[in-house]
Amino acid sequence: MLKMIPAIIMTAMLSQNFILVQFLGICPFLGVSKNIKNAFGMGLAVTVVMFIATLITYPLYTYLLKPLGFDYMEIIVFIFVIASLVQVIEIILKKTSKPLYEAMGIYLPLITTNCAVLGVTELVLTSELVTGLFDACCYGLFGGLGFTLAIVLMSGMREKLDTTRVPRPLEGFPITMLLACFMAMAFSMF
Amino acid sequence: MYNLLNAEFTPVEHVLIVVGIMLVVALVFGFLIMVVSKKFAVEVDEREETVLGCLAGANCGGCGKAGCAALARSLVEGKGNIDDCPVTDKENKMKIAEVLGVEYSGGGEFIYVVCCGGGANAKDRNDYIGEAGCIRQSMVGSGRKLCSTACLGEGSCVAVCDNGAIEVSEGVAYINKDKCIKCGKCAKTCPKLIISKIPASAVVYVKCSTKCRGKEVMDACTKGCIGCGICAKNCEQKAITIVDNLPVIDYDKCVGCGYCVEKCPRKVIHFVNEDRDDAVLD
């Protein structure tokens, strides 16, 4: 079981990076990557939710839905679980850590509809690397860290872009898309 | 349990089980959320909820806060300004003011000014032969001027103004404050986005919009801001900050002393009142 961990880390973080290789969770990747601080906050929020979501949905699927033959209900049940979890985390954060809650602000509720989170819960069910709950949680955690990596890299480059002269027709969003394209090409080399 | 796993379900049973699963998941998480929200309840100012209800709920971040909830909180704490929200309509803003027990006049008074003093002072990069109008001209390589934020002086704003409040003199548009009804059409029309809204109480404004660095500005225009920061250093109220090589005036702090106008080496900061402007700058 432990032997697979390095492989899972490499896969989840780099070779199957959620944003740049699987193109999941593009919305926050483009929307919240204007500065490093926000991008980092968003990345961490996604990581936490991914980890906890996998922790709950994996057993739910393996021990309840699959044996009963209701595995086609996975998506609707998972959405339910993720949305509730985000809500719970938000309430807890609001009470326990006001600064973190304020730093995450609107991004936390936005994660509810982040397809990278739904993506990871689905992927661990079919991935050959994942053999148990521990593996699944690892996949979730490092998938989230991979997400953070990509979004922080992107925001760093966008900060640099703000102070560079960009050809007029490419200013703003077009150059960002090009940037994302080159990053995806680099990551697909793994 | 064993029987259940191997049983062939009839369609009715199947539907019932699906509904059952959803119901159980819903109940479990509903209960969880209920318990957590009770246990981790944070005391919220009642007014905050009311204010949040009145805000547009677009969560656009136009106010500079992280969403409507954050603005509502800062409003209740007395830090924010209702006018920070560009989306909420006047009626709701009145309601918010009522809840908070503050005076609200229905939007601060403001005026429009053209933030460019270039005209003949801004060099042309090339000739332009084609259809008249700034909008048309800016479609071709963003216009004939070397400076990317220079007023083209082709009068697209003049054409759109219903009150004849704008005229182009010496290659730069000028807005007559007495005739202007503050409709904002010119600001939306200008392809260079150099017509900006400043408070009516403002005494000075920055008559340049370039965000380029000093040397590039020197090459392009004799009336361009080079971002030297002398105005910011000389401002006793600390009302000026340099953002992207351009001074930004905080009109809440500005007392209108006019030091910045006198000190500016490029004569970029001007008085809103032209008489005072002429007296100092000429």
Side-chain angles (χ1 to χ4, degrees):
Chain A
M1 196 168 84
L2 273 173
K3 261 192 289 179
M4 294 306 278
I5 298 300
I8 288 178
I9 293 175
M10 278 299 286
T11 313
M13 266 188 93
L14 301 170
S15 70
Q16 292 294 313
N17 187 292
F18 277 96
I19 294 175
L20 295 169
V21 180
Q22 313 215 39
F23 307 121
L24 293 171
I26 298 287
C27 168
F29 179 60
L30 296 172
V32 199
S33 60
K34 282 205 184 90
N35 67 62
I36 294 182
K37 206 179 123 241
N38 283 350
F40 196 67
M42 181 73 189
L44 285 189
V46 170
T47 310
V48 170
V49 174
M50 269 186 173
F51 177 72
I52 300 177
T54 327
L55 187 69
I56 294 181
T57 56
Y58 188 80
L60 200 65
Y61 178 83
T62 331
Y63 302 116
L64 183 70
L65 294 178
K66 192 83 186 291
L68 282 175
F70 285 93
D71 38 347
Y72 65 87
M73 281 176 69
E74 53 190 317
I75 290 187
I76 190 165
V77 172
F78 287 5
I79 287 266
F80 231 89
V81 171
I82 293 168
S84 320
L85 268 181
V86 171
Q87 193 71 45
V88 168
I89 291 176
E90 196 186 347
I91 296 169
I92 294 178
L93 263 188
K94 198 172 180 180
K95 175 80 176 182
T96 52
S97 168
K98 201 92 197 269
L100 191 62
Y101 173 77
E102 266 159 24
M104 288 187 176
I106 188 73
Y107 310 127
L108 201 55
L110 279 180
I111 297 172
T112 318
T113 47
N114 186 338
C115 53
V117 178
L118 187 62
V120 75
T121 54
E122 287 281 311
L123 266 171
V124 292
L125 304 178
T126 50
S127 173
E128 289 167 6
L129 293 167
V130 177
T131 48
L133 181 59
F134 183 72
D135 290 353
C137 290
C138 262
Y139 204 106
L141 182 66
F142 285 98
L145 289 178
F147 183 97
T148 314
L149 177 75
I151 199 168
V152 168
L153 283 179
M154 178 71 164
S155 60
M157 273 187 279
R158 280 183 78 172
E159 278 188 1
K160 285 266 186 298
L161 266 185
D162 282 349
T163 53
T164 325
R165 283 199 86 169
V166 176
R168 198 65 201 268
L170 294 179
E171 253 175 28
F173 214 62
I175 193 83
T176 313
M177 297 299 267
L178 277 179
L179 189 62
C181 160
F182 284 121
M183 285 176 74
M185 274 156 73
F187 266 72
S188 68
M189 289 302 131
F190 276 106
Chain B
M1 193 68 187
Y2 180 77
N3 282 336
L4 186 65
L5 292 181
N6 286 316
E8 288 286 325
F9 298 124
T10 65
V12 175
E13 279 171 346
H14 201 107
V15 169
L16 281 179
I17 293 177
V18 169
V19 171
I21 291 178
M22 290 312 293
L23 205 65
V24 169
V25 173
L27 280 177
V28 168
F29 279 100
F31 188 71
L32 183 70
I33 291 179
M34 199 184 79
V35 170
V36 169
S37 64
K38 277 264 165 59
K39 193 153 190 184
F40 291 89
V42 181
E43 280 195 25
V44 182
D45 196 326
E46 268 179 34
R47 293 180 302 167
E48 205 172 309
E49 293 285 316
T50 328
V51 170
L52 186 59
C54 290
L55 287 172
N59 280 325
C60 60
C63 52
K65 306 275 185 331
C68 296
L71 179 65
R73 195 174 317 124
S74 70
L75 281 174
V76 171
E77 286 166 3
K79 285 185 216 154
N81 184 351
I82 306 174
D83 278 325
D84 285 349
C85 179
V87 190
T88 307
D89 56 22
K90 199 170 165 182
E91 205 176 300
N92 276 317
K93 282 185 179 174
M94 294 293 232
K95 266 190 222 159
I96 294 173
E98 206 175 296
V99 172
L100 297 174
V102 292
E103 291 275 316
Y104 182 67
S105 55
E109 293 287 306
F110 53 85
I111 52 170
Y112 284 94
V113 287
V114 178
C115 294
C116 175
N121 303 305
K123 278 182 204 148
D124 284 355
R125 181 184 52 203
N126 46 264
D127 287 337
Y128 173 78
I129 303 164
E131 233 174 304
C134 314
I135 298 175
R136 289 299 173 91
Q137 194 182 119
S138 66
M139 285 175 180
V140 188
S142 79
R144 68 178 195 285
K145 297 278 185 189
L146 192 52
C147 169
S148 62
T149 50
C151 176
L152 297 173
E154 292 279 323
S156 281
C157 49
V158 179
V160 84
C161 184
D162 294 330
N163 298 282
I166 311 180
E167 57 186 79
V168 176
S169 64
E170 293 169 26
V172 183
Y174 163 76
I175 299 172
N176 187 327
K177 283 163 221 48
D178 300 329
K179 287 187 189 167
C180 176
I181 58 158
K182 285 96 185 173
C183 63
K185 278 188 199 161
C186 51
K188 285 187 193 124
T189 304
C190 179
K192 298 292 186 184
L193 304 174
I194 54 175
I195 301 181
S196 46
K197 198 168 151 181
I198 59 172
S201 57
V203 179
V204 294
Y205 70 104
V206 183
K207 206 171 173 182
C208 181
S209 304
T210 184
K211 291 184 175 172
C212 295
R213 296 199 181 90
K215 190 174 175 305
E216 290 168 55
V217 179
M218 287 282 213
D219 293 341
C221 181
T222 54
K223 297 269 175 169
C225 173
I226 53 173
C228 62
I230 289 177
C231 48
K233 273 182 213 121
N234 282 288
C235 182
E236 289 177 358
Q237 314 302 323
K238 304 264 177 270
I240 304 183
T241 42
I242 303 287
V243 179
D244 293 335
N245 299 317
L246 202 62
V248 175
I249 301 171
D250 182 346
Y251 288 109
D252 292 336
K253 290 184 189 162
C254 177
V255 293
C257 61
Y259 280 170
C260 48
V261 182
E262 284 169 34
K263 297 285 179 188
C264 178
R266 307 276 290 176
K267 304 294 171 217
V268 166
I269 304 182
H270 287 245
F271 285 111
V272 174
N273 179 340
E274 293 88 9
D275 298 336
R276 205 174 158 191
D277 211 25
D278 295 341
V280 176
L281 294 174
D282 290 334

